[in-house]
Amino acid sequence: MARPRKPLLSRARIVEAAAVLVDAEGLEAVSTRRLAAALGVSGPSLYNHFRTKDEILEAVADAVSARVDLSMFEAPGPDWRGALHAWAHSYRDALSDHPNIVPVLARGPGRRPAGLRLADAVFGAMTAAGWPPAQATRIGALMRYFILGSAVASFARGFVDDETAYDPADYPHLGQAHLLAERQREVDEGAFETGLAALLDGLSLQYEALAHDVP
């Protein structure tokens, strides 16, 4: 039997094509028509793999979650802080390559396998380290808010690189704001690390207080 000229359509090919569209043009760019054209197939053939556009976007989001390193949680122990630090950076790195999918991830893991494995790993590591289950849940939520928020947009690029845009008469403390855009990576990564350290410092204080309360 002769081989087909085009690769067979699969969920993986659809997700890959959808991810390219999301990265380039945003969530609204994803449609059956656009995906079918990109894949060289008829629109209805996509429905053999996904029922709706939302299902496709959920799959794209889960593919991004699957890129997050969870190995630091495989041997739970007292170094919960180090594990959270390493995980936060891995998570942010995955999201920084695909910021347009963050609104879908922000809905929560739902039924997404990789998203659920991520949540399970964090919760399991925190409870194994001695955090009460309720507080372990809050820690997972807190870290998620912080990491997803950091990936939505760049603080530094929110300022234009025109020094005349910020009149000292109106903004006496923004005399150097026009320089932020060209230092985006330094500013944004520095802000993330500063915030992450502050969060972990605060949690460490709570953990110490918790240890004193345990008989």
Side-chain angles (χ1 to χ4, degrees), residues 90-124:
S90 178
Y91 201 173
R92 181 174 182 267
D93 288 345
L95 297 182
S96 66
D97 293 332
H98 309 281
N100 290 339
I101 200 63
V102 171
V104 179
L105 288 164
R107 300 172 190 166
R111 298 176 182 270
R112 298 194 299 268
L116 290 170
R117 284 193 293 270
L118 188 155
D120 181 74
V122 175
F123 181 81

Side-chain angles (χ1 to χ4, degrees), residues 35-126:
L35 285 175
L39 292 164
V41 300
S42 63
S45 64
L46 299 178
Y47 296 115
N48 293 325
H49 302 276
F50 294 98
R51 293 176 297 176
T52 65
K53 168 184 171 177
D54 282 344
E55 282 192 1
I56 296 173
L57 294 177
E58 288 284 322
V60 172
D62 210 41
V64 173
S65 293
R67 299 183 181 189
V68 181
D69 182 15
L70 300 176
S71 63
M72 66 288 296
F73 298 126
E74 291 175 358
D79 189 22
W80 59 268
R81 175 178 175 138
L84 282 182
H85 185 275
W87 168 69
H89 275 280
S90 178
Y91 201 173
R92 181 174 182 267
D93 288 345
L95 297 182
S96 66
D97 293 332
H98 309 281
N100 290 339
I101 200 63
V102 171
V104 179
L105 288 164
R107 300 172 190 166
R111 298 176 182 270
R112 298 194 299 268
L116 290 170
R117 284 193 293 270
L118 188 155
D120 181 74
V122 175
F123 181 81
M126 294 306 100

Side-chain angles (χ1 to χ4, degrees), residues 81 85 88-89 92 143 146 150 185-202:
R81 175 178 175 138
H85 185 275
H89 275 280
R92 181 174 182 267
M143 296 298 293
F146 174 67
S150 74
R185 182 171 182 177
E186 176 187 352
V187 173
D188 292 345
E189 291 187 359
F192 179 78
E193 187 57 45
T194 298
L196 180 58
L199 285 177
L200 296 177
D201 284 346

Side-chain angles (χ1 to χ4, degrees), residues 114-199:
L116 290 170
R117 284 193 293 270
L118 188 155
D120 181 74
V122 175
F123 181 81
M126 294 306 100
T127 53
W131 287 99
Q135 188 65 353
T137 299
R138 297 185 190 106
I139 290 171
L142 169 66
M143 296 298 293
R144 184 167 161 274
Y145 297 153
F146 174 67
I147 297 166
L148 291 180
S150 74
V152 170
S154 164
F155 174 82
R157 292 189 65 181
F159 296 87
V160 299
D161 61 1
D162 179 3
E163 63 181 322
T164 66
Y166 308 108
D167 191 329
D170 296 322
Y171 315 106
H173 305 297
L174 296 182
Q176 302 297 308
H178 65 285
L179 301 175
L180 292 175
E182 67 183 37
R183 301 176 182 174
Q184 175 193 348
R185 182 171 182 177
E186 176 187 352
V187 173
D188 292 345
E189 291 187 359
F192 179 78
E193 187 57 45
T194 298
L196 180 58
L199 285 177

